Structure formats: C-alpha cells, structure tokens
Amino acid sequence: MKGIRLLALSIFCIAFLSFTPINKKYIIIDAGHGGNDLGSVYGHFSEKDISLNIAKEIQKINEGQNKYEIVLTRNDDSYPSLSERTTQINGLNPEMVISLHVNRSPQEETVQQGTEIYVQDTENSKKLAEKISEKFDARKIEGRNLHMLRETKAPTVLVELGFINNSKDQEYITSEKGQKEIAQKFVDVFDEY
C-alpha cells in the first residue's frame, strides 16, 4: 500500500510539474503612434500603419518558441498615451523594449535614408543599439531625451526604420517583403542578445 501511495504521489508530482508554466522573458515592441496620431505621412502611407505591421510580423515570427514572449503596446489602430505605454512596460519588467518609428525630413523628397537609433544613457541600451545597428547598418546611434527612453526602466531603444519621404526607404518599409525582412532582423537580434 505504501508503494502505491508513493507511486501515485510521484505520478501526481510529474503531472503537476509538467503543467507548470515556464517563466518566459518579455520583449516589448512599441508600434509608434496610432489612432488619430498618424505619425509621419507621405502619400497614402503613414508611420502608424508601418510600425504596427512590422510589430505584428515580429510577434508572428516568434509564435511557438519558448525563449521569450513578444508583447505589443498596441495591436490595433488605437493610441495608448506615452504614459500608458511606459506604465504597461514597467509593470512587465521586460528584458528589452524596441519602439518602432519611421522618419521624415522637411523636404518633399529627401536623399536622407537609412535607420537611426536613439538610446537611453545606459550601457544595456547602447549594447542593444549596437546589435540592432549591425543588422540594419544604422546611419547613427545617439542619445535623446524622449519620453519612451526617459521613462522606461528596461533597456530601451527607439528605432527610426527609414525615411518615408525617400523613395528607396519608402518602397522597402511599406512592402510585405521589406516588413518581413525587418521583422526577421529584430528576431535575430533577440536571439543573439
């Protein structure tokens, strides 16, 4: 009888432990702007749509893996305020935060192109920016006093993915192929970080 109880207890423990959730690490993707805040606009393209499409693609690529969980600050055309976003982020205590944006210069059409990365004044933010820069061949990395960088406790970077009013950048960041490639580059960064 004692052996049966021990066997039953062992089976129960194994079954219980197999259903215990694994503590995943969170990575937050902040799709910039949203709702009535279009962000940068050029023709019928808007920053809010581009950033959301890429954020969703990053999340989609990561389905089914167990290393980390991608959490979006918005997954539709809504506008959580900057304070709401940073409160949500700080409550989750993520490994890192990537805020996605699209650049625009004052000219109608610009020769400026490429990725720009803005960082917090922390080593981990700068390290994350360097990893991203390697994948995107960023034109610059610099510190900025922006709400998302200032108020977020986790290592955070704000990435301007390209210039919406540069034909080459626009074609790339608005195409399905370009958005998938951009998302995959971020996933590669997460896997190597």
Side-chain angles (χ1 to χ4, degrees):
M1 191 67 168
K2 192 174 188 181
I4 293 173
R5 281 189 195 156
L6 192 54
L7 179 63
L9 182 60
S10 296
I11 291 170
F12 174 77
C13 287
I14 289 169
F16 178 77
L17 291 174
S18 67
F19 290 109
T20 302
I22 298 169
N23 284 337
K24 283 189 180 178
K25 296 176 180 178
Y26 293 113
I27 295 175
I28 307 291
I29 305 297
D30 172 50
H33 306 279
N36 291 331
D37 181 0
L38 304 178
S40 296
V41 176
Y42 193 82
H44 63 278
F45 297 112
S46 69
E47 180 176 5
K48 71 171 186 170
D49 294 332
I50 296 166
S51 64
L52 181 59
N53 290 343
I54 293 169
K56 286 181 169 182
E57 189 63 36
I58 292 168
Q59 191 174 48
K60 181 179 169 187
I61 291 171
N62 281 280
E63 288 174 356
Q65 60 80 33
N66 291 317
K67 189 174 175 186
Y68 49 84
E69 182 176 340
I70 300 293
V71 177
L72 306 182
T73 56
R74 67 179 183 97
N75 56 12
D76 58 20
D77 189 20
S78 59
Y79 180 75
S81 71
L82 292 174
S83 295
E84 289 169 336
R85 292 175 201 235
T86 52
T87 297
Q88 174 194 9
I89 290 166
N90 291 334
L92 289 172
N93 192 27
E95 290 294 301
M96 68 180 80
V97 180
I98 313 284
S99 187
L100 301 176
H101 292 266
V102 175
N103 230 332
R104 181 179 169 89
S105 66
Q107 303 84 10
E108 183 64 23
E109 175 73 20
T110 184
V111 295
Q112 293 182 77
Q113 72 179 99
T115 304
E116 297 180 349
I117 306 170
Y118 300 105
V119 298
Q120 300 163 310
D121 190 20
T122 68
E123 286 309 307
N124 286 335
S125 177
K126 292 172 187 171
K127 179 181 166 189
L128 177 57
E130 287 295 333
K131 287 278 188 196
I132 293 168
S133 181
E134 289 169 16
K135 299 291 180 193
F136 288 87
D137 192 24
R139 62 193 300 257
K140 71 176 173 181
I141 299 173
E142 69 179 44
R144 283 274 175 98
N145 185 21
L146 302 169
H147 179 91
M148 188 62 67
L149 299 172
R150 188 179 60 247
E151 300 299 324
T152 305
K153 294 174 186 162
T156 303
V157 295
L158 188 146
V159 181
E160 297 279 3
L161 296 164
F163 284 80
I164 200 167
N165 60 328
N166 173 285
S167 298
K168 188 174 178 184
D169 276 1
Q170 180 192 104
E171 183 180 335
Y172 185 65
I173 63 178
T174 60
S175 72
E176 185 179 340
K177 179 180 184 281
Q179 291 179 357
K180 285 183 183 215
E181 287 178 7
I182 290 167
Q184 186 60 57
K185 287 178 184 181
F186 280 113
V187 171
D188 293 344
V189 168
F190 305 155
D191 290 340
E192 294 169 13
Y193 187 73

